[in-house]
Amino acid sequence: MSITLENYSAQDKKIMKKLYISAFPAEERAPFFMVVSKAKKGRAELLTVRKNGNFAGMVYMVCNAKLAYIFYLAVDEAQRGKGIGGEIINALKERYKGKRIFLAREQLDESAENYSQRASRHIFYLRCGFEDLPCFIKEGPVTYDVMGIGGNVSAPEYDELITRWCGKFLKKIIDMKIIER
């Protein structure tokens, strides 16, 4: 049986929050209540990933008519290494068919403590059909490389997408932007 993507429900809150906190460094995480709140308001999609009916991961998407931004994607620790990440990407490609899909990925900094993980993630996304895009995303104190499927994402497009998600005030305080190379 393949994976399914289901809209977030309160019954999954505890397990999703635990995965969210364990999978992403503090400086890369929005407060979980904000993640849930934006999804409830229709500004994002918080999706529960299930494999054979069991919890297998989470995806947080910020979308508009043209773009689908994979803001967070995490596979449950017990399910890693079983091909679920690739299945999730395939399901996202189908769900957001016709949109340019993109993500922010840790930069390939050879001096980083987790360089081998960063390199593995980069290879994983390349195998899934993503390409390196000619830009960076800056979100708060972190600058990311950008990968995508379906074409580039311009600074004005990203600005419009993120402003709709978090509002002008928060976007400015967090300093969220695309920097084109």
Side-chain angles (χ1 to χ4, degrees), residues 13-139:
K13 182 178 181 177
K14 199 175 213 175
I15 195 166
M16 286 184 77
K17 185 175 182 179
K18 181 180 177 187
L19 174 60
Y20 179 68
I21 289 170
S22 69
F24 303 102
E27 67 272 7
E28 296 180 14
R29 288 192 314 256
F32 192 71
F33 77 86
M34 183 177 154
V35 169
V36 172
S37 172
K38 297 297 183 188
K40 285 181 179 178
K41 291 178 181 175
R43 294 182 183 183
E45 293 182 42
L46 180 54
L47 304 170
T48 302
V49 178
R50 295 199 190 284
K51 175 88 176 187
N52 300 325
N54 298 313
F55 180 79
M58 64 167 287
V59 182
Y60 189 69
M61 300 293 298
V62 178
C63 304
N64 65 18
K66 296 179 183 177
L67 300 172
Y69 181 16
I70 303 172
F71 215 86
Y72 299 112
L73 185 158
V75 174
D76 184 65
E77 199 169 323
Q79 300 294 321
R80 292 178 190 157
K82 298 178 181 178
I84 291 174
E87 288 183 61
I88 292 170
I89 295 296
N90 288 334
L92 294 173
K93 287 180 189 177
E94 185 62 32
R95 184 180 183 106
Y96 301 107
K97 191 177 258 177
K99 295 183 185 207
R100 285 173 283 147
I101 302 171
F102 72 105
L103 57 88
R105 178 191 43 74
E106 292 172 301
Q107 293 187 306
L108 291 175
D109 176 358
E110 292 182 16
S111 66
E113 193 174 292
N114 68 340
Y115 176 74
S116 64
Q117 287 178 327
R118 292 177 184 209
S120 293
R121 281 187 205 108
H122 184 233
I123 291 166
F124 165 75
Y125 287 118
L126 288 171
R127 279 196 319 253
C128 289
F130 283 80
E131 299 175 322
D132 292 311
L133 299 184
C135 56
F136 303 103
I137 287 180
K138 182 178 183 320
E139 293 177 347

